[in-house]
């Protein structure tokens, strides 16, 4: 598996934090903080778009009324089965 250099740098950074800590561990909070917000390698710090067609994912705000229409049409699974809305 090929790993982008930035990802390898982040992994090396995290490994170093773990090895230097007295418990030889870091908290989940610290791990996520660096993965998301490290100034050089954090997911949200690289300047690429995160939402929408050119980003990594859509949110209901990104797709406008589509989510509401899907709910109205009963296409969304709820508690393991499809539920339609009656009028």
């Amino acid at each position: 598996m090929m790993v982008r250099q930035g990802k390898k740098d982040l992994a090396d950074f995290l490994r170093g934090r773990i090895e230097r800590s007295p418990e030889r561990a870091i908290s989940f909070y610290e791990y996520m903080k660096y993965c998301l917000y490290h100034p050089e390698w954090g997911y949200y710090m690289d300047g690429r778009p995160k939402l929408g067609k050119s980003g990594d994912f859509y949110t209901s705000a990104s797709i406008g009324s589509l989510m509401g229409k899907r709910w109205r049409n009963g296409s969304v699974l709820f508690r393991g089965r499809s539920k339609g809305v009656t009028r």
Side-chain angles (χ1 to χ4, degrees), residues 14-76:
L14 291 168
R15 191 174 297 109
R17 298 282 304 186
I18 292 167
E19 289 170 356
R20 286 188 303 277
S21 85
E23 302 87 16
R24 301 214 16 102
I26 59 174
S27 68
F28 181 73
Y29 169 81
E30 188 175 0
Y31 170 80
M32 290 306 299
K33 178 177 75 171
Y34 289 122
C35 288
L36 297 176
Y37 301 109
H38 186 280
E40 289 181 63
W41 309 303
Y43 175 78
Y44 289 114
M45 307 307 282
D46 68 3
R48 292 180 304 124
K50 304 300 180 235
L51 302 175
K53 279 188 173 185
S54 60
D56 290 340
F57 56 90
Y58 282 127
T59 65
S60 59
S62 302
I63 57 177
S65 62
L66 178 62
M67 184 67 87
K69 289 176 184 173
R70 301 282 292 178
W71 274 98
R72 183 191 69 216
N73 293 334
S75 302
V76 175

